[in-house]
Amino acid sequence: MHIEIDEISKQFGSTAALTPVSLNLPSGALVALLGPSGSGKTTLLRILGGLEYPTSGRILFDGQDATGLTVQQRRAGFVFQSYALFRHMTVFENIAYGLRARPRATRPPKAEIARRVQKLLELIQLPQIGARYPNQLSGGQRQRVALARALAIEPRMLLLDEPFGALDAKVRKELRQGLRDIHDETGLTTVFVAHDQEEAMELADLVVVMSMGRIEQIGKPADIRARPASDFVRNFITA
Amino acid sequence: MSDATTLAAPPRPRAFRAATEESPAVRRGLILIAVAGLAILVFAPLIVVFAEALAKGAVAAVKSLQSKDALSAIRLTLLIAAISVPLNAVFGIAAAWFITKFDFRGKAFLITLIDLPFSVSPVVAGLCIVFMFGANSLAGGWLVAQGFPIVFALPGIVLATVFVTFPFVARELIPVMIEQGRAEEEAALTLGASGWRVFRTVTLPNIRWALLYGVLLCNARAMGEFGAVAVVSGKIRGQTATMPITIEMQYNEYLSVAAFSLAAVLTLLALVTLLLKTILEIRHADEIAATRRH
């Protein structure tokens, strides 16, 4: 799905989290929102997912105004920073949650839900862990379960908030490839937030460098490396 | 050389002890104080209640419990708990939800307000209800004329009990809900669940143990409340006298066996609640551990 962000701004009380930003995300792209903390990248992601409403501006999904859509109507697969798995449910129940929450008319039958959950568990290469609880999983496994849960609702886009933030270096590398594979397989427009420039540069097709609620530069990783648009970008990507 | 002296015979280490561990003498002393405190403050009164109740034999105790006043008091107390506890469970969940899931001006003030019943003397609370709804007040006079008196009747006792026990559920829930944050609820929303479904399938299961503790504490206090109820009930024997009030009246009338028998029943009700809680904790130990923050 093609996402257009048109002059979006966000005020929290008297502080501006986003000064009007505009951004065009082509369908099927893997996009990184890169910036230091407080740069507004998570706010932008949450606005895309419908968890936060912009103070002004519009969001267009495939050319259609989506600004007023509720979080449920957005159908965005969202992976939270600490994964936010339902701790009182098994992995199976976590992944099935979105399918079970559908209205009766569109809810798949039980056997179909089980089949789809199993397929997703295979996609994240953890076919055996359906009966476990989140606190019995490693950090990397949790991240993959959160990804499977987000994919279960057949989302229109995938939004990830610091998906590798809480993991050690080795697991990070593995999961980076995992996310790339899942993106390529599903073809979903994917936006992830990162504060680590190496991660963003290596994984994304398109990098959006942000600072203080503004977009500093948009471009392919190689272009940003070759031609940083400002001193801030130059300092940030060499840091 | 000074080297020789430093190398010679290092001082013998004393028995090793963890840095946070006290010496055996101190430990024993502290344990003794704790046990003595427990014995004097908790066990002795418990034993006295049951001993006094059975002072003239079990038959006398049971017989005193079968009196009209005692039966009416037990029925009234159970009824009041059955009304007040569910009300406060709902109020408590609503208040905790509101305070922890939304940011708004005056939040600190609202939290203080929830604690008010803890700091206000129950007698004062009871007097306020009498003042507001008594037969001489505007609202009370009208209500009495409609045949629906509040003071010296069941509604007043329920009002007083609800006021006094209001903080218990909210107080248990607020820290738990703050600790758990909003992420899981947000996740459920992005997965397409409605607000009510999120509450039912995510919020409620996550707070159920805290809710249970809150409800049990609230229940214990609702059954045992004396001060506020004493003021609003008018202490009408067989009508508005709850268990604690009947106990006091009987004690003042030197009906020691009757007073202590009823007190023993009240104590037993509390002990049963505690027992229930413990059984639930043992039976669901795995689940409780699993739902802790990961």
Side-chain angles (χ1 to χ4, degrees), chain A residues 149-172:
Chain A
R149 182 177 69 175
L151 289 170
I153 61 165
E154 297 167 311
R156 298 199 282 179
M157 64 196 142
L158 204 50
L159 307 173
L160 304 96
D161 190 2
E162 300 263 1
F164 311 104
L167 303 168
D168 59 60
K170 184 172 168 289
V171 181
R172 249 168 210 245

Side-chain angles (χ1 to χ4, degrees), chain A residues 140-213:
Chain A
Q141 289 172 329
R142 276 178 212 160
Q143 195 249 31
R144 284 188 274 172
V145 170
L147 197 55
R149 182 177 69 175
L151 289 170
I153 61 165
E154 297 167 311
R156 298 199 282 179
M157 64 196 142
L158 204 50
L159 307 173
L160 304 96
D161 190 2
E162 300 263 1
F164 311 104
L167 303 168
D168 59 60
K170 184 172 168 289
V171 181
R172 249 168 210 245
K173 282 242 161 70
E174 280 170 34
L175 290 186
R176 235 186 255 175
Q177 191 53 47
L179 180 59
R180 179 86 237 181
D181 293 344
I182 284 170
H183 169 262
D184 294 349
E185 201 164 320
T186 58
L188 286 167
T189 312
T190 302
V191 183
F192 72 97
V193 161
H195 66 263
D196 182 280
Q197 57 91 16
E198 189 203 325
E199 205 155 81
M201 295 293 196
E202 230 169 77
L203 188 53
D205 307 326
L206 191 67
V207 175
V208 179
V209 186
M210 296 183 71
S211 158
M212 319 263 293

Side-chain angles (χ1 to χ4, degrees), chain A residues 46 49 51 71-72 76 78 80 82 84-89 94 97-98 100-101 133-135 142 149-150 153, chain B residues 179-180 183-184 186-195 197-198 201-202 205-206 208 289-294:
Chain A
R46 288 171 63 85
L51 289 168
V71 51
Q72 292 96 342
F78 207 110
F80 289 80
S82 50
L85 295 176
F86 306 128
R87 70 194 87 173
H88 62 285
M89 296 183 202
N94 263 282
Y97 188 89
R100 288 177 176 166
Y133 282 93
N135 70 342
R142 276 178 212 160
R149 182 177 69 175
I153 61 165
Chain B
E179 201 253 344
Q180 290 178 342
E184 282 182 52
E186 287 183 341
L189 290 172
T190 64
L191 294 170
S194 63
R197 190 182 174 87
V198 173
T201 59
V202 178
N206 274 341
R208 64 186 151 185
T291 54
R292 291 278 145 77
R293 188 123 194 98
H294 52 252

Side-chain angles (χ1 to χ4, degrees), chain A residues 118 121-122 125-132:
Chain A
Q118 194 52 42
L121 284 170
E122 275 155 28
Q125 294 169 359
L126 294 168
Q128 309 290 345
I129 62 159
R132 292 211 218 148

Side-chain angles (χ1 to χ4, degrees), chain B residues 99 104-116:
Chain B
I99 283 171
F104 54 92
R105 210 179 280 211
K107 197 167 176 170
F109 179 68
L110 189 62
I111 295 176
T112 313
L113 215 58
I114 287 176
D115 277 345
L116 195 69

